[in-house]
Amino acid sequence: LPTRAGSSPEPEERSMEPPAVPEEETPLSAASGPVGCQLFGYVGIEAVLEQMKIKTMKTGFEFNIMVVGQSGLGKSTMVNTLFKSKVSRKASQPGQEERIPRTVQLQSVTHVIEEKGVKMKLTVTDTPGFGDQINNENCWDPIIKYINEQYERYLREEILITRKRKIPDTRVHGCVYFVPPTGHWLRPLDLEFMRRLSKIVNVVPVIAKADTLTLEERAEFKQRIQEDLKAHAISVYPQEDFDQDPDDRALNDRIREKIPFAVVGADQEHQVNGKRVLGRKTKWGIIEVENPAHCEFPLLRDLLIRSHLQDLKDITHNVHYESYRVRRLNESNRP
């Protein structure tokens, strides 16, 4: 009897299940479909975007960029060209004779840039002395230490019981690595640096002073660099693993085909066809840095500022900083 009593309601429950399932799932499918989302009048949901815009314009945002490469590759000039202002460390120290340090030293300069009401606190970190010595063994250690120190500083603020409403963000969001325009292949120093740094920060390689190469040499050099990065399993930004949807993957695939960008920097204006343009004047003409036919500087600017700036910050916070945070908390929890 207990078995019959326990089994007798089963056919009734099974007979009731089919009509119950669609009744519960119908509102969900209607809500997720385009028909269920239609409104009978204006509600004002789109005003959320305007609220976010106003709040961001009031508070501003932070962006921290690091430039790494040998002396004489135009790192400071490139940063000034990117933001069309004197933001490099050279501009903040006029009249001082620049000497190559014996070891890698990190120098940071912070500026507040405002454009059309939007304020950005920009921090540029330069690495003079990198790759300039005869023995460059472990010359990337100070850079790795600095990046991890910024993660540690953010982590200490985050785990406080009473923490600030907005934690100051000094983490490096992007590292632009300048490859010398040799025209041959990546040096062991370049490969080792990008292999180590790509695991903790977004690395964007560029070919410095690309006007010293012919178009054929530039194309061959770029192809060899791409082959070296693939052979050594070095994942530079934008990484394939972090593409969110097919649209992002399609856009990033087009960017990955052109990385490393062959760039030319200039902080002086010249007259070309009645217009003032940034460029480098030579005996045979003017190299316009913002002309896609002359160099790929516009692609680098679009990647760092116009299209992927927020993505650089998101990946820094959600991937690189998160992996550092997990590792540090695991170490502190070990007996």
Side-chain angles (χ1 to χ4, degrees):
L1 287 176
T3 55
R4 291 178 184 176
S7 60
S8 58
E10 285 186 0
E12 295 179 1
E13 290 180 359
R14 288 175 182 171
S15 62
M16 291 295 290
E17 280 179 2
V21 171
E23 286 180 4
E24 293 178 356
E25 292 185 353
T26 301
L28 295 175
S29 60
S32 60
V35 179
C37 292
Q38 291 181 353
L39 304 176
F40 297 107
Y42 179 73
V43 177
I45 300 174
E46 64 177 4
V48 175
L49 297 176
E50 189 66 21
Q51 296 172 31
M52 296 171 64
K53 178 181 176 182
I54 294 173
K55 188 174 182 180
T56 304
M57 290 179 68
K58 286 182 179 179
T59 59
F61 60 97
E62 297 148 324
F63 184 60
N64 308 316
I65 187 172
M66 175 184 283
V67 288
V68 182
Q70 288 181 343
S71 299
L73 293 181
K75 300 187 297 298
S76 301
T77 304
M78 178 59 60
V79 172
N80 292 340
T81 311
L82 270 174
F83 299 98
K84 291 188 177 181
S85 57
K86 303 292 184 179
V87 296
S88 68
R89 60 185 175 86
K90 285 184 179 179
S92 63
Q93 299 174 352
Q96 293 186 10
E97 183 182 357
E98 186 179 8
R99 297 179 180 178
I100 299 175
R102 294 184 178 180
T103 58
V104 180
Q105 299 176 1
L106 283 87
Q107 301 175 356
S108 296
V109 180
T110 301
H111 299 273
V112 177
I113 302 177
E114 185 174 351
E115 183 181 29
K116 294 184 179 180
V118 181
K119 294 181 180 179
M120 180 175 72
K121 185 180 179 183
L122 172 69
T123 301
V124 180
T125 304
D126 200 353
T127 56
F130 177 84
D132 293 333
Q133 310 304 320
I134 296 176
N135 182 11
N136 291 307
E137 186 179 3
N138 298 329
C139 62
W140 46 78
D141 284 348
I143 301 174
I144 295 176
K145 180 182 177 182
Y146 175 82
I147 294 174
N148 286 330
E149 282 177 353
Q150 309 315 309
Y151 290 150
E152 182 68 23
R153 181 181 298 180
Y154 194 91
L155 178 61
R156 288 178 181 175
E157 291 285 343
E158 195 178 47
I159 63 178
L160 290 176
I161 297 176
T162 56
R163 56 186 179 183
K164 301 176 183 177
R165 179 178 296 182
K166 185 179 179 182
I167 301 175
D169 191 3
T170 60
R171 298 169 297 181
V172 179
H173 300 127
C175 175
V176 182
Y177 185 75
F178 287 71
V179 178
T182 60
H184 297 290
W185 45 76
L186 288 175
R187 304 167 300 170
L189 174 64
D190 304 327
L191 290 170
E192 190 63 22
F193 176 86
M194 286 190 280
R195 186 184 69 83
R196 291 174 180 264
L197 268 292
S198 61
K199 298 176 182 178
I200 62 173
V201 73
N202 298 315
V203 177
V204 180
V206 297
I207 301 173
K209 294 191 174 182
D211 53 332
T212 61
L213 300 173
T214 64
L215 295 179
E216 292 79 8
E217 290 172 344
R218 187 187 300 181
E220 292 178 2
F221 190 33
K222 182 178 294 191
Q223 185 176 0
R224 288 173 182 171
I225 291 176
Q226 292 176 351
E227 292 174 356
D228 284 346
L229 293 176
K230 188 178 294 184
H232 292 82
I234 299 173
S235 180
V236 297
Y237 184 84
Q239 301 93 332
E240 293 185 13
D241 299 337
F242 306 145
D243 292 339
Q244 297 287 337
D245 51 53
D247 293 336
D248 291 345
R249 181 174 293 275
L251 173 62
N252 291 338
D253 283 341
R254 291 195 297 269
I255 296 173
R256 281 187 281 264
E257 290 175 0
K258 299 180 180 180
I259 281 182
F261 299 127
V263 298
V264 178
D267 50 11
Q268 294 183 356
E269 289 186 341
H270 299 278
Q271 194 84 11
V272 177
N273 297 328
K275 296 181 180 179
R276 304 289 294 180
V277 297
L278 285 171
R280 295 173 60 87
K281 189 175 182 180
T282 63
K283 290 184 178 180
W284 48 87
I286 294 177
I287 302 169
E288 303 174 31
V289 298
E290 295 181 318
N291 189 343
H294 291 189
C295 72
E296 294 176 338
F297 167 78
L299 300 178
L300 175 65
R301 181 184 57 197
D302 291 348
L303 177 70
L304 293 179
I305 301 174
R306 298 184 179 179
S307 62
H308 285 67
L309 189 147
Q310 188 59 45
D311 188 59
L312 283 164
K313 298 181 67 175
D314 291 342
I315 291 181
T316 299
H317 180 76
N318 298 326
V319 179
H320 298 304
Y321 168 71
E322 192 67 21
S323 62
Y324 177 85
R325 174 180 168 276
V326 169
R327 187 173 69 251
R328 285 285 291 114
L329 294 180
N330 285 334
E331 290 174 357
S332 62
N333 290 334
R334 288 175 184 170

